[in-house]
Amino acid sequence: MALDGSLERLRREGRIVVVGASLAGLRAAETLREEGFTGTLTMIGDEPYEPYDRPPLSKQVLLGRVPADHTALPRRRAIEAQWRLGAAATGLDLSAKRVALADGTSVEYDRLLIATGVRSRPWPNELEAGLDGVFVLRTRDDATRLRHRLKAGPSRVLVIGAGFTGSEIASVCRERDLPVTVAERGPTPLSGALGSVIGDVAAQLHHQHGVDLRCGVMVTGLEGDGVGRLRRAHFSDGGTVDAEVAVVALGATRNTEWLAGSGLAAGPRGIACDAGCRAFDVRGIVADDVFVAGDVARSPHPLFGYRFLSLEHWGNAVAQAEVAAHNMICRGEERRPHLWTPYFWSAQFGVNIKSVGVPNMADQIIVSQGSLGEHRFTAAYGYQGRVIAAVTFDQAKWLEFYQRQIEQAAPFPPPFATVDRRTEGMRPVPAGFPDPSVPTHGPQVTVSGYSPTDQRVTFTPAGHGHHA
Amino acid sequence: MRVVVDLNRCQGYAQCAFLAPDVFAMHGEEALLYDGEPDGTRRLDVLRAEAACPVKAITVEGAGAAWTAAGAGVSNGP
């Protein structure tokens, strides 16, 4: 009874603080109000803008079709929040229940939601990263700057990394008729996310659209001219390319530094939480009043062996925020698990790529509908005899069917006949994901020699020499 | 006015691109590009697109209050 009374008081006049004012933070705030929270709601964001949508930035915004400031997210309802925009959170005191901000102030909470997301992994060499012409793409301001530079018509653009963002940027460059070189350390574009069978199709798209695609190489250095402008890039195979613009698209890093020393289990891989979005502390015990949602969260998914999934997906941010918000203001037995099946899309080279499930858990793949060669197909991924994921190229309408297959742990390869099954789809093949035991995200460094004067360090760039 | 499309849901039926072509455009066979903050004068067309989407992927801010099914038949906006 006493507990019920305090929950009622929380719902009526409690203080909820949301750190992270992007998609997850906004949708959580709306859900809190929708479910009857009438207390004080504070939204903290490091960017000066109210919540905006990021996927358009690497597509219609970079193409020049839509201004970068035409991306503010519509509100599902009024949230009557106190906005603290442009003030990053810098610290968390769990025992005092207080968030410190960059402007020196602090905000106290009864319940906290952490939705600080990720940021672009910067080019590791700071001097080179500071050259005029070197960009990343994550925020609205990044998009505005890069778009301005692309509009000026650079002689060549170098895209470093052929994941989804890098491939979308390369696609925009070609549509703008700009010469573009893409450097990817893996054997194909998208191989980390979708495997090299699908990656080979992605490589065909690059080639077909005139991209100078170089796989199995790393960029080892960016060279500036006398006045600090980018002029040339050096590759691990000894080659070079002259470029006025380089876009670093090497993935993202989690915004968890502000939680260092807080006692939460937060680090470079995100913040671990349970399926109910409650944060783990460093002892592995869930906190009752600290919740996590969106790109920064890592939570166990029952469908995928209770593996802790870290999903930088638009749909995950929405679904997890809704579950977190619900669980923040309800009784224990009313809590819900976050059971969202991963869903993802990318538009590049005029093709709509979508996936469902967790492709990179798979060992095999089968083209169940359509044809790889036609760049229009559906492929199912298998893991230990069950369907674990699917990907479509311009066949989005079939994806929901495969979502059900994943959720029902349907057998792989699918035993049923499908529409438009071709001979290439009669037999599963290895999906071609990078061997997780081989480091691909950094160079291999070995030390040889015994006495201090003999010791040598050998630096082997990642991906170099591993691929055909 | 503010618009967002849940492109996980979108299956490229292109009804929106037909009803409000200056706001929604197909890019290739199936991918959709759109303006997230179209001019307010486009409101009626955008609301028609929202209503016509077979997978209900379009969210328009304030659509609930301003929109009724009967309004779909009204001729072009202000």
Side-chain angles (χ1 to χ4, degrees):
Chain A
M1 279 301 143
L3 271 176
D4 281 357
S6 70
L7 180 64
E8 268 321 301
R9 203 157 49 243
L10 169 77
R11 292 171 58 89
R12 198 173 56 243
E13 57 197 35
R15 300 161 301 177
I16 293 184
V17 172
V18 177
V19 185
S22 192
L23 178 63
L26 176 63
R27 294 302 181 233
E30 291 164 350
T31 305
L32 287 167
R33 292 301 191 206
E34 187 70 35
E35 298 203 4
F37 173 67
T38 53
T40 310
L41 182 57
T42 306
M43 304 287 293
I44 297 169
D46 63 340
E47 290 182 67
Y49 311 113
E50 55 178 310
Y52 62 88
D53 207 28
R54 296 185 200 276
L57 299 180
S58 56
K59 305 174 185 78
Q60 52 265 51
V61 171
L62 217 50
L63 268 174
R65 298 214 187 168
V66 173
D69 60 1
H70 278 213
T71 49
L73 283 160
R75 305 288 170 82
R76 292 173 173 175
R77 53 164 297 125
I79 58 172
E80 288 147 60
Q82 297 179 3
W83 294 88
R84 303 291 301 272
L85 297 177
T90 53
L92 170 63
D93 184 334
L94 281 178
S95 55
K97 295 190 160 196
R98 193 165 53 214
V99 176
L101 303 189
D103 60 10
T105 64
S106 63
V107 187
E108 293 184 354
Y109 63 83
D110 297 307
R111 293 273 192 283
L112 173 68
L113 177 66
I114 299 173
T116 41
V118 303
R119 65 180 182 278
S120 293
R121 185 174 288 139
W123 184 244
N125 180 318
E126 277 184 42
L127 274 178
E128 296 178 4
L131 289 172
D132 181 34
V134 179
F135 296 84
V136 293
L137 178 56
R138 172 76 193 169
T139 66
R140 219 176 97 168
D141 289 345
D142 292 339
T144 302
R145 283 190 289 264
L146 180 55
R147 166 179 156 145
H148 180 74
R149 191 59 72 92
L150 295 185
K151 199 175 166 194
S155 58
R156 178 167 291 273
V157 177
L158 169 67
V159 178
I160 306 174
F164 286 108
T165 304
S167 297
E168 288 179 2
I169 293 166
S171 170
V172 165
C173 289
R174 289 308 301 140
E175 199 163 337
R176 282 178 167 274
D177 209 22
L178 296 171
V180 58
T181 296
V182 173
E184 164 59 43
R185 69 191 155 208
T188 72
L190 313 182
S191 62
L194 298 176
S196 62
V197 174
I198 302 306
D200 281 336
V201 182
Q204 288 167 23
L205 291 175
H206 282 250
H207 289 135
Q208 205 175 61
H209 289 82
V211 174
D212 169 30
L213 174 66
R214 307 195 187 185
C215 292
V217 297
M218 286 197 24
V219 175
T220 51
L222 299 174
E223 180 190 324
D225 63 11
V227 289
R229 287 179 309 213
L230 174 71
R231 131 172 111 185
R232 185 170 299 139
H234 295 263
F235 297 140
S236 54
D237 62 2
T240 61
V241 70
D242 288 356
E244 289 177 1
V245 170
V247 190
V248 180
L250 294 174
T253 175
R254 271 86 196 144
N255 291 321
T256 56
E257 289 81 357
W258 68 285
L259 295 167
S262 68
L264 286 184
R269 295 169 66 200
I271 305 164
C273 62
D274 74 354
C277 308
R278 291 178 299 175
F280 281 108
D281 66 20
V282 290
R283 303 167 302 170
I285 296 176
V286 287
D288 275 324
D289 43 22
V290 181
F291 292 72
V292 194
D295 291 4
V296 78
R298 289 176 62 224
S299 66
H301 201 306
L303 260 187
F304 303 97
Y306 294 93
R307 192 179 283 203
F308 277 75
L309 299 181
S310 231
L311 300 167
E312 292 171 42
H313 293 177
W314 192 94
N316 184 63
V318 175
Q320 198 167 22
E322 290 169 353
V323 171
H326 170 84
N327 290 349
M328 286 172 89
I329 54 167
C330 74
R331 292 205 311 259
E333 67 272 24
E334 290 167 352
R335 286 197 180 120
R336 293 185 201 135
H338 175 52
L339 289 177
W340 186 76
T341 303
Y343 238 92
F344 179 85
W345 83 87
S346 170
Q348 48 185 276
F349 304 109
V351 175
N352 192 30
I353 302 175
K354 287 190 158 191
S355 86
V356 64
V358 184
N360 66 12
M361 267 181 83
D363 37 44
Q364 289 189 307
I365 188 170
I366 190 166
V367 182
S368 48
Q369 299 176 242
S371 164
L372 297 179
E374 293 167 17
H375 307 159
R376 181 195 296 268
F377 60 87
T378 302
Y381 291 86
Y383 172 66
Q384 297 183 349
R386 55 172 281 210
V387 178
I388 197 86
V391 62
T392 58
F393 274 45
D394 276 349
Q395 285 199 342
K397 63 181 174 180
W398 300 122
L399 211 53
E400 206 175 317
F401 170 79
Y402 289 87
Q403 180 188 344
R404 302 289 162 244
Q405 296 279 301
I406 296 162
E407 289 169 356
Q408 292 160 11
F412 179 92
F416 48 81
T418 48
V419 175
D420 196 21
R421 175 80 67 101
R422 314 286 181 86
T423 48
E424 65 184 289
M426 290 303 162
R427 190 176 306 158
V429 297
F433 285 101
D435 180 350
S437 68
V438 176
T440 61
H441 286 262
Q444 185 178 339
V445 178
T446 53
V447 178
S448 59
Y450 294 98
S451 75
T453 50
D454 288 346
Q455 280 188 337
R456 291 192 100 82
V457 174
T458 308
F459 179 95
T460 312
H464 190 48
H466 290 304
H467 308 295
Chain B
M1 68 185 299
R2 293 176 179 180
V3 180
V4 71
V5 182
D6 182 344
L7 290 168
N8 286 319
R9 281 175 180 267
C10 175
Q11 295 180 13
Y13 285 95
Q15 296 297 304
C16 56
F18 176 70
L19 289 164
D22 50 346
V23 178
F24 304 95
M26 301 311 293
H27 195 242
E29 295 284 305
E30 201 179 277
L32 176 72
L33 300 183
Y34 64 95
D35 183 350
E37 287 189 63
D39 191 88
T41 59
R42 312 301 303 131
R43 185 166 188 85
L44 200 60
D45 284 347
V46 170
L47 290 172
R48 281 200 184 104
E50 181 212 26
C53 177
V55 292
K56 295 281 162 256
I58 304 173
T59 299
V60 182
E61 186 164 289
W67 175 251
T68 60
V74 177
S75 62
N76 278 331

